[in-house]
Amino acid sequence: MKHSDYLGTDQSWPCFISPAPRLRLNALDFSDLWDDEDIALDAREDEAVFTSSGSDRGPPTPPVPPPLPPSAPPLPPLSPSVRPSGGSGGGGGGGGGGRTLKLHWRELQSLPPVPRVCRFGQQTIWAGLEPVRLDTSRLGYLFESKSHAASGAIRSLMMGRQKQPCVSVLGVKRSNIVTIALSSLPPPHLLPPAIYSMDSSVLDREDVQKLQALVPTEEELKMIKEAKAQSPRCPLAPAEHCLQTLGGIQHLSSRLQLWAFALDYDTLEREIAEPLFHLKLAMEQLATNQTFRCILATVLAIGNFLNGCRARGFELSYLTKLSQVRDTHGRQPLLHHVCVLLLQVYPQCTDLYSDITAVSRASKCDYTQVQSNLSQLEAHCKASWEQLRLLEKDGDRRAKGKGGGGGGGGGGLGKEGALWHQLPEFLKECEERLKVLRAVHRRVINRFHAFLLFLGYSRAVVRETSAEAFCKTVSDFALEYRTTHHGILQQREQEREKEGEADREMRGDSLTRQPKPKQRPQTPSQECLDQWRLEELLRTPESSTRRLDFMMPRHRSRTPDRSLLPRRLNW
């Protein structure tokens, strides 16, 4: 049943909602959307016009306004100052008969009808508002319109100010950078309190990063101050005004760096911990994977046979060269023959690549950069302690200097005091987490070195082998192995299909084909007796030819073809 069937006004909202489980995209639930909301607004207007023109009934009665709460006092009689249209009427203000300022808004002359099914209600928001009692005399006094002469003087003064040029001392490039950043930042006068309190609801991480690029230098502040002194009545340009406002914040760079560290720590820690976890999981997957062991055993057996040796192992870097070595007959790569042998001897083996996904993820990480990031994170933590001590001293000096000062500074200091109690605890927690992170990094790298020794690498090679290079070698080989493995399986499937088709054709031909009589082998005639003897001589071995006829020409000995000999593997 559609929601348009519900027309009652006394029913609650839950009865109108029928959840649609199909309107769900991953974690986003849109099941509260209604079926009637498929109709566009234009179609609803046409339907409303058709209904109003075709029905015999009159226009619908306007909705009854909601009753006032019982505790509300009785409303005063409607006066010009409490008109629904507010200040749109330009004339009568308060009781003094003076003129008031006008609000140049767009007045809604008529309220449009609400669709029959609306998620937000059956009336407009304006119909449900309660009347507000106003002190019209005070409003009339506050917004009293001055005389025309005074307004003309103010207008001329404003026009004169607009014609005055703005003070601009920055370069074009710097001014453009500041102006572009200001387009996505709060107004400049709201920046100091947000920076002092480190309010993330006003400035997010991107805003803090933009402010770090806008920190004014001493030369820029000096130029702005001198230009303002030369033209005290001229306003500053937006870029210069922003830099002057930021320049009034004590230790601005230290505050922004400390704030950025507090916002970025979780991300920086994750960028270090995730690659280490991928490497640890990659070593576990390779050590326990049976397909990987079978591949190593097969390649080792083939290499020992071709090289005529009994090697106990080989470096895994040679795995990437298996696709480059080819046989001398079919020119098939050695990796192809390895896959064929594995399918024959170990049919339970997998494609390897799907089993070692952590190796592929670890191959895309730069573990040298991970170590550098860890060192930088420790340096940032130490610098944050120094910046916090500096800001604490500055806060104490400001508190002593403004002991009995105005309310604005006291509010900012109160917010700072609450933040100083949180930042020391946060930095202590960061130090503890950095100790854990350093221990994790040290142990994972040591385990990787032990894993290379487990694979037979020498200690000299272990020191020179990086984790990302090793993982990339294994990942690339696993990808080539999976491609070859799937190709062989597809080829076998196609051969089985062809054999099945051939068998079906043979069974169909055997029903219609008559058996042919066997033909006797023809004996050589007298005319081709010499040719027959020559063929018999060529078919017989060399030892028998010597006994048959010494008058016939002997076979010439041929040197064996070296290309038919087994090739050695240079591992």
Side-chain angles (χ1 to χ4, degrees), residues 137-202:
S137 59
R138 179 171 177 78
L139 284 176
Y141 171 75
L142 293 176
F143 295 93
E144 181 182 1
S145 177
K146 302 297 183 180
S147 61
H148 294 284
S151 61
I154 294 176
R155 189 179 299 107
S156 61
L157 179 62
M158 294 298 296
M159 293 297 293
R161 288 184 179 180
Q162 291 179 359
K163 292 179 181 179
Q164 291 181 358
C166 297
V167 177
S168 179
V169 295
L170 299 176
V172 178
K173 184 177 180 180
R174 176 65 168 166
S175 179
N176 291 338
I177 293 175
V178 178
T179 305
I180 293 173
L182 282 176
S183 62
S184 58
L185 289 174
H189 67 277
L190 298 179
L191 295 178
I195 293 175
Y196 279 122
S197 61
M198 294 186 182
D199 191 355
S200 299
S201 62
V202 179

Side-chain angles (χ1 to χ4, degrees), residues 286-303:
L286 285 177
T288 58
N289 189 266
Q290 294 299 324
T291 302
F292 184 67
R293 291 174 176 263
C294 294
I295 291 174
L296 296 182
T298 305
V299 175
L300 180 62
I302 294 176

